[in-house]
Amino acid sequence: MAKKPGFSSMLITSLSALLGIGFAGSLSAQEGAVIEEVVVTGSRIARTGFEAASPVDVVTSEEMAQTGVISVDEYLKRLPAFSGWQAGANINNGGDGGKFVDLRGLGFKRTLVLINGRRTTGSFIGSSSDIGAVDMNTIPMPMIDRVEVLKDGASSVYGSDALAGVVNIITKDRFEGIELSADGSWGTEEWDADTKSINALLGVSNDRGGAQLSLTYAKQDELLQGDRSWAEDALWPTLQPNGSFVASGLGSGNSRRIRSREFDQASLDSLAAQGVGSQFIIDASTGQIREFTGSDTYNYAPINALITPHERWQIAAQGDYEIASSSSGSVSMFSEMSYTRRTSHQRLAPDASFSVDPDFAGTGMWNSVVPASNPFNPFGDTPSNPWGISGQPVETNRRFEESGGRLFSQTNDSYRMLVGLRGDFNETINWELAYVFSEGESVSETNFYHRFDKWATIVDPTLCSADPSCVAATGPQNALNPFGPFGTISAAEIDYLMANSLKDQYKNRLENILLNVNGEFGDLQGGAIGWAAGYEYREEKASFSPDEFIGGGLTTGGAADPLDGKYSVDEIYGELLFPLLADQPFAKALDLEASVRYSDYDTVGDTTNYKLGVNWAINEAFRVRTTYSTGFRAPNVVELVAGQSTTFPIVEFPCEFYDTRSDATPNIQANCAANGVDPGPASELGFQVQSAYTLNPQADMEPEESTSYTFGVVWTPEFVEGIRASVDYWNIEIDEYIDAPDYNGLLRNCLNAADQSTSIACSFFITGTGIDDAFPADAEAEFGNLGKVETSGVDFAIDYSRPVDWGMINLLEVSFMGTYLDKYKETFPGSGTIDLVGTAGDDDGFGVYPEWRWNSSVRLSAEAWSLDWRMRWFDESKDLLRPSDITDDAKAESILYHDLIANYTWNQFTGSIGIENLTDEEPPRFHSAFNANTAPGVYDVVGRQLWVRAKVAF
């Protein structure tokens, strides 16, 4: 009678069918050769017991499991080398549910993310304006063995995009058994911002191979700004009688404001003669018109999301199987597959009749105009105001609060498949041939934008009466009353105005063929020379299909053009490792590394990049390492084919308080006065000014080019067992940096010009002076290879571990790691050089670049339990844009977070509990923080957080 197959054999067969790997062969076949060498991030050479010249941080899955994170990015963003800002659930305005990491603050697309040393497709970042960074939502958490962070340029090994470094996700390849885990976290203030995840990992292996399967469900609940007292108001510094400034809860002038911009000259002269302003509102209590004041602004903050919600479903599988083995070599098949579905949304304050088009539909009027014929127009054909003005159209900035706010929802599907063969010849040459196919598709749905054409109809009785739908919505008046208190616009009128729903579609695809070979030859004093060589072909495609209303620019979401593009590249590379010396006086080991890569693009031509490294172990205690490399980043698909786009950056207006502010030079004062700006606040209303900045893509973009240099010392003293310390200096320069000049830099340089007519900075502005009607003027610039970025600093780390006999405690572990940022300069034509070190407020208030940042931890443990105390510290950073003498808060204060974690293991069960931000620190506020009065991509916005995790293994 045949023996029934055991569970292990059945699981192998099932996973093999899923992966397409042939495990049907005999499990008792001859065991193949075991290759003990490993490949480390930053090199393709398989090596044994080798420490690379490049600095690499390693984060294990066990370390991530001892925190409350539910995705890789949430852990990595806590490491000091990740600066600028990180995108995830904490990014609402400007986010799309994607999670991206930024090494050295050089931008998401300049940090290359790999899975087992191979690429996966990049994702659209926030909108159709960019692509290239990997969404960390697509990384299967249960599969992760470790994450290696290479803090050095790596274009000679991996090609484009690795200017800041590499994040390499290494998965488990010999897991056996079943592992189930579940976790959850809650903000303790209101027991909100819940997260939860459930994970399963199944694996089998034998002497011919192994297979693993993982399943994940993760959910993050929403947290609104109104749920935290420090974020519930849009704060603005208001001038006090004694000359000081106090933060006041104000907001946007896009409330129910009535403006006289459309008045004829006689009416404007009449207002001026009466000494009244040019902005009004219908008083909600009296029903009469009065002047608009700061107290009438709209507080847009409470309804904005502070933490955005998302759900993630994921399945991933991988396996390998030796299909042939003999004395002359072996051949194995291997495969990796994953599918991720992510749903998410962001929430913003209600849409308004914004003034963004001064010539809507050829009418010669702003799209927020209400004609004189509107029966509710207080300056219209039937006036009821004390100013004696009638027959005038008005402009109104009315928030459609009755809609409930704008909602942006995404459904994202991501696939990745890898299949390949690998083996060896006579156990001396290793080879690998692989094919990667990765694809992403996202549908973004937008609700509660209003339509410009419907607005023009519903406020005009003549136009409305000709549209049966408008008549049905408005009733006998055949017109909307946009001036009444919030809540007075009917549901029928809102339905008529709103463009529901708008759907944009994003697609991107990567196909990659890789052939890598490595081995050894010859002998030097330190051992055999290692080598690696290979060929890669990669093709990337991306497309964006906007909704017809967005494509036509019919909503306040702006216009967007469709795009469809692709590129391909052929690459060859070579790498050598020379072990020059070993076991010599003052040279325990001396190794020289060299690599070169040639890349030929069908879009931007060819480029060659190289890297040299030296790893010198002077003795058992001291090791010196240094590298020098060149790098590049080819323009991504969107950069190559995108059309004109318009952004609305936050603006610090140098003319505001130009008679008293400390940074107002004599030229600034003179130009502000000459252009008719009063020496006071730019607006009494209290909100951040935004101007339109139109960007035109450069016709022939070239790759960005970089040079990277590192020098470090590793110290492992023999007289103190268990201690290891390292210090590494790094320096990165990027030329042909793809971006546009900074708007605020252009504005300041234009206003600081002795002769504005000859100023390069002033040539970017439509007025030629930087000022339009006493406000910052709109600007237009080229987007392309215009900039240069220089950054340098020092990473430092120390780890100490020693056995102890302290009662229940038998191990003490202490660690400390940090980064000192010495230089970060951006240089562009017109805007000049901006130094970001120690500043907060770059990139529309998102970016923070503290001079010092460090983490530390102390762990006490025994066989079954451990207790950790961790600290995370950010140095203070001054406001990049606004001086301290005209605001209440011109710097992000330093902040120290404390986290406590406890773990206990009993048989196959492990339980963990932690408290993050133990002292419930509020994130630091600074003036230029546009989102929630802080930088949510840098600081903790939930507050004190409790998390628990349970894991059982069989």
Side-chain angles (χ1 to χ4, degrees), residues 680-925:
S683 172
E684 298 285 358
L685 308 181
F687 59 91
Q688 191 73 58
V689 176
Q690 290 180 271
S691 296
Y693 190 24
T694 301
L695 305 179
N696 300 296
Q698 199 174 51
D700 298 306
M701 289 192 196
E702 299 292 332
E704 297 176 340
E705 299 176 350
S706 72
T707 57
S708 299
Y709 170 69
T710 68
F711 179 84
V713 176
V714 180
W715 180 44
T716 311
E718 297 179 358
F719 59 86
V720 181
E721 185 177 354
I723 195 170
R724 175 185 169 98
S726 66
V727 177
D728 287 280
Y729 169 80
W730 48 271
N731 184 296
I732 303 171
E733 292 188 8
I734 304 176
D735 292 308
E736 307 299 328
Y737 193 88
I738 298 175
D739 209 330
D742 174 68
Y743 177 95
N744 283 284
L746 293 174
L747 183 60
R748 168 163 284 278
N749 287 345
C750 175
L751 292 174
N752 195 36
D755 182 355
Q756 290 193 304
S757 65
T758 61
S759 167
I760 296 175
C762 289
S763 67
F764 289 84
F765 294 93
I766 59 172
T767 61
T769 63
I771 299 174
D772 182 15
D773 192 23
F775 277 86
D778 294 343
E780 186 170 354
E782 190 175 43
F783 177 91
N785 300 106
L786 304 176
K788 180 176 182 177
V789 173
E790 306 165 85
T791 183
S792 62
V794 178
D795 294 330
F796 46 91
I798 184 168
D799 296 287
Y800 176 61
S801 176
R802 59 167 288 196
V804 296
D805 186 12
W806 297 343
M808 298 175 59
I809 304 168
N810 58 31
L811 184 64
L812 168 67
E813 298 172 273
V814 180
S815 69
F816 183 88
M817 68 184 305
T819 293
Y820 166 70
L821 183 60
D822 176 60
K823 178 174 65 176
Y824 195 118
K825 293 182 178 180
E826 294 182 349
T827 303
F828 283 85
S831 60
T833 298
I834 300 173
D835 188 357
L836 296 177
V837 175
T839 68
D842 179 52
D843 204 1
D844 280 346
F846 283 101
V848 179
Y849 297 85
E851 190 174 16
W852 294 90
R853 184 179 168 189
W854 55 259
N855 295 354
S856 70
S857 70
V858 177
R859 165 177 278 204
L860 303 174
S861 62
E863 184 176 351
W865 63 270
S866 65
L867 180 64
D868 290 70
W869 170 35
R870 301 181 180 180
M871 290 184 287
R872 297 172 279 135
W873 186 77
F874 294 83
D875 196 4
E876 70 177 24
S877 300
K878 68 177 183 179
D879 196 291
L880 176 67
L881 301 177
R882 197 169 181 94
S884 60
D885 55 349
I886 57 169
T887 184
D888 66 295
D889 197 339
K891 66 179 177 181
E893 302 288 348
S894 62
I895 192 166
L896 178 62
Y897 296 111
H898 297 267
D899 306 327
L900 293 178
I901 303 108
N903 297 278
Y904 182 76
T905 300
W906 179 69
N907 293 331
Q908 285 79 35
F909 172 81
T910 299
S912 304
I913 186 170
I915 301 177
E916 297 186 353
N917 191 359
L918 177 66
T919 54
D920 199 19
E921 300 291 333
E922 294 181 357
R925 174 180 176 257

Side-chain angles (χ1 to χ4, degrees), residues 569-620:
V569 56
D570 291 278
E571 299 180 287
I572 57 173
Y573 81 91
E575 187 178 355
L576 291 170
L577 168 64
F578 299 97
L580 302 177
L581 297 173
D583 299 318
Q584 299 295 310
F586 302 105
K588 179 67 177 176
L590 177 60
D591 300 311
L592 173 65
E593 304 172 38
S595 59
V596 63
R597 190 181 194 95
Y598 172 77
S599 306
D600 186 14
Y601 285 78
D602 65 351
T603 52
V604 295
D606 60 355
T607 178
T608 301
N609 294 273
Y610 66 90
K611 182 175 184 176
L612 297 173
V614 175
N615 183 42
W616 176 24
I618 302 172
N619 51 37
E620 295 287 353

Side-chain angles (χ1 to χ4, degrees), residues 172-195:
K172 301 172 182 177
D173 63 354
R174 283 296 182 270
F175 176 80
E176 294 189 68
I178 301 175
E179 185 176 277
L180 305 175
S181 66
D183 57 67
S185 69
W186 304 265
T188 61
E189 183 170 330
E190 298 290 341
W191 298 104
D192 51 16
D194 307 19
T195 70

Side-chain angles (χ1 to χ4, degrees), residues 41-42 54-59 72 75-77 79 81-82 101-104 111-112 136 146-152 164-170 795 817:
T41 299
S54 298
V56 178
D57 288 343
V58 179
V59 178
V72 183
Y75 189 94
L76 293 180
K77 73 180 185 182
L79 302 182
F82 290 85
V101 292
D102 183 0
L103 187 59
R104 305 297 188 203
T111 300
L112 179 61
M136 306 300 277
R146 66 188 185 278
V147 179
E148 296 180 351
V149 180
L150 174 69
K151 300 182 293 184
D152 188 13
V166 176
V167 174
N168 192 10
I169 312 295
I170 310 298
D795 294 330
M817 68 184 305

Side-chain angles (χ1 to χ4, degrees), residues 324-466:
S325 178
S326 68
S327 59
S328 61
S330 63
V331 178
S332 297
M333 298 177 61
F334 63 96
S335 181
E336 300 170 7
M337 297 183 183
S338 66
Y339 165 69
T340 305
R341 163 158 283 203
R342 183 249 300 168
T343 60
S344 53
H345 77 242
Q346 300 78 47
R347 192 185 303 275
L348 293 179
D351 190 17
S353 50
F354 293 118
S355 307
V356 296
D357 186 354
D359 193 18
F360 171 68
T363 64
M365 295 188 300
W366 292 81
N367 58 41
S368 51
V369 166
V370 178
S373 59
N374 184 291
F376 307 102
N377 182 346
F379 295 99
D381 294 335
T382 54
S384 57
N385 66 78
W387 317 118
I389 298 172
S390 64
Q392 297 298 304
V394 298
E395 184 187 346
T396 186
N397 304 122
R398 211 296 187 172
R399 288 275 178 175
F400 303 117
E401 191 176 66
E402 294 82 356
S403 71
R406 290 165 286 176
L407 191 66
F408 309 85
S409 304
Q410 302 85 32
T411 300
N412 184 281
D413 295 292
S414 301
Y415 312 82
R416 183 176 185 267
M417 177 191 72
L418 177 148
V419 293
L421 296 171
R422 63 182 169 217
D424 70 279
F425 298 118
N426 297 320
E427 301 184 22
T428 58
I429 296 178
N430 307 309
W431 60 271
E432 178 181 288
L433 176 64
Y435 169 73
V436 180
F437 175 88
S438 184
E439 186 175 60
E441 181 175 349
S442 180
V443 175
S444 179
E445 181 178 0
T446 303
N447 289 277
F448 307 120
Y449 269 138
H450 86 277
R451 287 176 52 177
F452 291 157
D453 54 343
K454 292 292 187 72
W455 165 267
T457 299
I458 202 171
V459 296
D460 187 322
T462 302
L463 295 178
C464 184
S465 63

Side-chain angles (χ1 to χ4, degrees), residues 640-710:
L640 288 170
V641 303
Q644 185 185 79
S645 63
T646 300
T647 64
F648 295 89
I650 62 171
V651 179
E652 174 59 33
F653 193 25
C655 290
E656 187 171 17
F657 300 111
Y658 68 80
D659 60 337
T660 59
R661 63 189 294 161
S662 58
D663 62 344
T665 66
N667 282 345
I668 289 177
Q669 293 175 345
N671 285 325
C672 292
N675 284 279
V677 183
D678 293 330
S683 172
E684 298 285 358
L685 308 181
F687 59 91
Q688 191 73 58
V689 176
Q690 290 180 271
S691 296
Y693 190 24
T694 301
L695 305 179
N696 300 296
Q698 199 174 51
D700 298 306
M701 289 192 196
E702 299 292 332
E704 297 176 340
E705 299 176 350
S706 72
T707 57
S708 299
Y709 170 69
T710 68

Side-chain angles (χ1 to χ4, degrees), residues 3-27 202-206 209-213 317-321:
K3 184 178 179 181
K4 294 183 178 180
F7 171 78
S8 177
S9 297
M10 289 190 292
L11 187 55
I12 285 180
T13 303
S14 300
L15 294 183
S16 299
L18 177 65
L19 293 164
I21 295 177
F23 267 100
S26 169
L27 298 180
L202 299 82
V204 292
S205 66
N206 56 46
Q212 297 83 42
L213 171 70
Q318 67 179 35
D320 66 285
Y321 180 69

